[in-house]
Amino acid sequence: MSTQASARRLLLVHAHPDDETITTGATMARYAAEGAQVTLVTCTSGEEGEVLVDELAHLAADAEDRLGEHRRGELAAAMAALGVTDHRLLGGPGAFRDSGMMGTAANNRPECFWRADLREAADLLVPVIREQRPGVLVTYDDNGGYGHPDHIQAHRVATYATALAAVPSYRPDLGDPWDVPKVYWTAMPRSVVQSGIEKMAAAGTDFLGVASADDLPFVVPDDAVDAAVDGSAFVEAKLEAMRAHATQIAVDGRFYALSNRIGMEAWATEFYRLAKGRPGPADPWEGDLFAGLG
């Protein structure tokens, strides 16, 4: 299959509203500004998230349980900040519920994403892949970055749907087959995380710090990283998108924190591991996810 039509089409599969901005926001803003087609698929509405804004605490899952609707609005505002016009919920709003953190009671709800039938969920993503015909698909690694059940499931669904979408005989009613040329997993290299920890300590924010990058579950060795996308020109857009996710992200200058109050640097350069396809030129990492696609 030719990849010519796919060369500047990027599809990202994320678990909850805000995940896309934290790890891929600058990438999305850069490619959208460059004229690439950027499509975001979010798998849940994030109903189980903790609420950082006191006046919105009534929306939480253990109160009115209306956080998902609110977070969909936050997602729309964040995408406007990043310049991304095509953002979708897998299966539509409410198709899958946020599963909560691993080991919590929310994992047991029959409608949660963690309990979704893999084939059924993948069949909702296959037509998006076949419609958009992306040159690059971005999702998480097999541990979901840090073990969140919805991140793990997003990886599984994206991986399975990518394979199914390429099979000519599989569900022709879902569109013409498409073999995605390159698949990347988001990554946080140790040296960059450590540098951010040191910068935050020097800046003296109110966020909590950790002593070492080794204390964080999502860090990967530098030599496991394959690509680094420079989004320096779009870091302000990324920070604006973070502020749009106000129920989930607190922002202080170039640093941010989630409900655990552990501070992180909002990176202008974002990092990836190549899971499928041929790498482009690297020095030491690829600089363009579309490299080699023509």
Side-chain angles (χ1 to χ4, degrees):
M1 255 176 273
S2 170
T3 61
Q4 288 298 316
S6 72
R8 304 294 291 180
R9 302 180 75 84
L10 173 65
L11 174 63
L12 304 100
V13 180
H14 280 285
H16 317 99
D18 81 351
D19 292 326
E20 80 296 323
T21 296
I22 292 169
T23 57
T24 61
T27 300
M28 295 169 72
R30 170 183 157 175
Y31 285 128
E34 290 178 355
Q37 171 60 41
V38 178
T39 298
L40 169 69
V41 174
T42 307
C43 297
T44 79
S45 296
E47 294 89 346
E48 295 292 331
E50 297 181 53
V51 181
L52 301 183
V53 182
D54 288 344
E55 56 267 32
L56 296 176
H58 61 94
L59 299 177
D62 60 358
E64 296 175 7
D65 197 15
R66 294 193 294 117
L67 183 58
E69 178 182 358
H70 184 86
R71 290 186 70 179
R72 293 196 292 270
E74 291 183 335
L75 177 61
M79 292 305 94
L82 298 179
V84 173
T85 58
D86 186 7
H87 49 98
R88 319 175 187 198
L89 285 166
L90 185 67
F96 301 105
R97 185 181 174 90
D98 182 353
S99 307
M101 298 297 287
M102 189 69 82
T104 63
N107 300 170
N108 298 320
R109 296 183 66 139
E111 71 273 31
C112 79
F113 189 48
W114 181 236
R115 290 188 168 271
D117 180 88
L118 182 57
R119 179 75 165 269
E120 292 177 3
D123 276 356
L124 296 171
L125 186 58
V126 166
V128 180
I129 294 173
R130 289 177 170 178
E131 168 203 333
Q132 290 301 309
R133 303 172 80 80
V136 173
L137 184 146
V138 169
T139 190
Y140 314 108
D141 65 18
D142 56 351
N143 190 45
Y146 67 103
H148 192 294
D150 287 334
H151 287 236
I152 295 171
Q153 187 76 323
H155 162 85
R156 292 172 176 170
V157 170
T159 302
Y160 194 25
T162 297
L164 292 175
V167 179
S169 61
Y170 182 73
R171 295 291 304 271
D173 58 307
L174 299 181
D176 295 332
W178 182 252
D179 188 5
V180 180
K182 298 178 82 174
V183 175
Y184 287 91
W185 299 339
T186 58
M188 292 191 169
R190 186 193 183 284
S191 67
V192 182
V193 174
Q194 186 62 41
S195 174
I197 289 171
E198 293 166 4
K199 289 177 184 176
M200 196 187 75
T205 76
D206 291 334
F207 296 147
L208 302 175
V210 294
S212 167
D214 297 325
D215 297 329
L216 299 171
F218 46 76
V219 171
V220 301
D222 285 18
D223 60 8
V225 174
D226 298 297
V229 177
D230 183 357
S232 298
F234 303 97
V235 67
E236 290 303 322
K238 177 173 179 170
L239 289 167
E240 183 181 349
M242 283 186 163
R243 288 189 287 268
H245 288 294
T247 63
Q248 305 301 302
I249 306 176
V251 179
D252 183 359
R254 280 289 298 273
F255 303 98
Y256 72 94
L258 306 180
S259 60
N260 59 13
R261 298 294 293 174
I262 294 176
M264 292 284 294
E265 181 184 9
W267 294 345
T269 298
E270 294 164 341
F271 302 87
Y272 303 89
R273 299 167 65 186
L274 182 64
K276 177 190 176 187
R278 293 184 177 181
D283 184 24
W285 297 317
E286 292 181 80
D288 180 8
L289 302 184
F290 294 105
L293 294 184

